[in-house]
Amino acid sequence: MIDSLYTIDRGAYPLPAHIARCAQLAMCLEVSSSPKPGNIDRFSDYEDTRYEHFLASASAVYPVIEEAVSCETGVGRLIKSAVNESMCWQKGGNTHFGAFLLLIPFAMAAGELFEEDETFTIQQLTESAYRIVKNTTTADSVDFYSCFDVAGVKVNSVDEFDLQSNSAIDELHEKDMSLYKLMDIARGYDIIANEWVTGFKRCARCAELIIDGMNGLEAPRLQADINNVTVYAFLKMLSENEDTFISTKYDTNTALYVSEKAKGILEQMYNIGEDFNSILPLIEKLDKELLQKKINPGSTADMVIAGLFIALLAGVRF
């Protein structure tokens, strides 16, 4: 699957517009899919953050993604622009920060790949994105650091390059700390950072789940329904990976508990051999539990957005 060749079908529209629409739709599909345990969706809001805030953010970031397609450098600046645009158009706080960390490199990679040849494999796309993030600079790190106050992102307390320290920017310059190097430091406790430094393998995995699901190959009982496939991909990724957004807010044990619950739900579907609807009550029960406890698998949602983006580029339609 990772070596399957896909052709971009952009019609009469310029390539940047096509890629930006794929990114925008990926964000809308992810937040609209339901039930998605613990996360905001079209039927579930938080007290201060609503479904509509995510739609506003997805709409606001369109020009930044379009610009990214034509850029070879400036990852940090583009992430900063995406965060600023998101926050200018809605008052619900941090909606897509982690997703921007994935979508910006992928949009840049798509622009690089498709400039000469509008065919690609998922491996080529992830390899291109990996090259781009490896070539980030200290300027990218400085721009990245400036995002946190704007977006109100919760982070782990660290000894080096602490976001709470006024000297952090000076330290970045003194140690010539590129954004890639910063992500490498965070790889052990942040799954999005880990994706940056390990070649976006989970994002590729998620894209494959979605493409196969829509083709009736991955869990045929999903009925090639985009909502079912997105929820399934979310549960599958959650079952296979500790969600570090939960770990940061709570602890590792809580994150592992949620992953085991997701795994158990999927195993029941496989064992029963029935369609996706048979496990909906279990998904809804977990959703209710996590919403009540305010446990949000946000990092998993970010990877699903990236997976949807790649799948849409690959031609998935519904």
Side-chain angles (χ1 to χ4, degrees):
M1 166 61 74
I2 201 167
D3 293 322
S4 297
L5 191 65
Y6 301 102
T7 301
I8 296 296
D9 183 13
R10 60 183 175 91
Y13 292 94
L15 184 63
H18 177 78
I19 293 171
R21 284 188 295 174
C22 287
Q24 192 175 53
L25 181 54
M27 287 184 276
C28 291
L29 287 174
E30 185 281 323
V31 74
S32 298
S33 61
S34 178
K36 201 167 60 264
N39 283 355
I40 288 173
D41 59 38
R42 53 187 154 172
F43 299 118
S44 302
D45 294 318
Y46 295 155
E47 184 176 345
D48 298 320
T49 310
R50 296 172 51 88
Y51 172 66
E52 292 85 354
H53 293 134
F54 281 80
L55 295 182
S57 177
S59 298
V61 78
Y62 180 95
V64 181
I65 301 295
E66 195 173 36
E67 179 188 358
V69 175
S70 303
C71 293
E72 296 179 358
T73 59
V75 175
R77 177 185 64 81
L78 289 162
I79 292 170
K80 180 180 178 181
S81 293
V83 169
N84 284 334
E85 288 299 320
S86 172
M87 298 303 293
C88 280
W89 281 82
Q90 48 87 24
K91 299 179 180 179
N94 171 29
T95 54
H96 286 118
F97 183 72
F100 296 153
L101 290 176
L102 300 172
L103 288 175
I104 294 296
F106 276 129
M108 295 171 71
E112 177 184 271
L113 280 178
F114 308 152
E115 186 176 14
E116 297 179 0
D117 185 0
E118 295 190 4
T119 61
F120 75 103
T121 67
I122 293 176
Q123 183 170 344
Q124 287 174 333
L125 186 65
T126 54
E127 287 176 350
S128 179
Y130 185 53
R131 284 195 302 272
I132 287 166
V133 298
K134 285 195 77 173
N135 288 327
T136 52
T137 65
T138 303
D140 292 309
S141 295
V142 173
D143 283 330
F144 175 71
Y145 261 53
S146 69
C147 295
F148 285 84
D149 282 341
V150 176
V153 179
K154 184 176 177 61
V155 295
N156 284 291
S157 177
V158 293
D159 295 329
E160 195 174 22
F161 312 115
D162 190 347
L163 286 163
Q164 313 300 323
S165 171
N166 293 328
S167 64
I169 300 300
D170 291 335
E171 286 185 65
L172 293 174
H173 284 295
E174 288 170 7
K175 299 187 178 180
D176 191 24
M177 188 60 55
S178 72
L179 187 48
Y180 179 84
K181 291 178 183 176
L182 271 182
M183 294 295 183
D184 196 29
I185 292 173
R187 66 188 297 175
Y189 56 82
D190 186 284
I191 200 168
I192 305 301
N194 192 280
E195 280 294 274
W196 265 51
V197 299
T198 58
F200 302 101
K201 292 181 174 60
R202 294 181 185 87
C203 294
R205 161 75 169 150
C206 188
E208 291 172 3
L209 289 171
I210 293 165
I211 293 168
D212 282 350
M214 292 304 293
N215 288 332
L217 301 176
E218 175 73 30
R221 295 178 293 277
L222 299 176
Q223 302 170 340
D225 179 286
I226 188 61
N227 182 79
N228 292 353
V229 168
T230 303
V231 172
Y232 173 81
F234 176 86
L235 288 170
K236 189 72 171 173
M237 296 302 295
L238 184 58
S239 72
E240 294 175 352
N241 303 279
E242 175 188 338
D243 190 292
T244 50
F245 193 88
I246 298 176
S247 303
T248 298
K249 187 176 179 180
Y250 292 94
D251 51 47
T252 294
N253 287 338
T254 303
L256 293 177
Y257 165 80
V258 174
S259 291
E260 283 301 312
K261 295 287 282 188
K263 183 178 179 180
I265 290 172
L266 292 177
E267 285 178 348
Q268 180 142 340
M269 183 180 76
Y270 301 144
N271 293 336
I272 294 175
E274 297 181 5
D275 64 23
F276 186 73
N277 290 331
S278 67
I279 60 168
L280 277 178
L282 296 176
I283 302 174
E284 290 167 350
K285 182 179 178 181
L286 179 60
D287 186 30
K288 183 178 180 180
E289 176 188 350
L290 298 188
L291 287 172
Q292 286 178 342
K293 295 178 178 178
K294 298 182 179 180
I295 298 174
N296 171 15
S299 296
T300 304
D302 295 331
M303 288 191 293
V304 170
I305 289 173
L308 282 163
F309 173 63
I310 296 170
L312 291 167
L313 284 178
V316 162
R317 298 294 182 265
F318 50 91

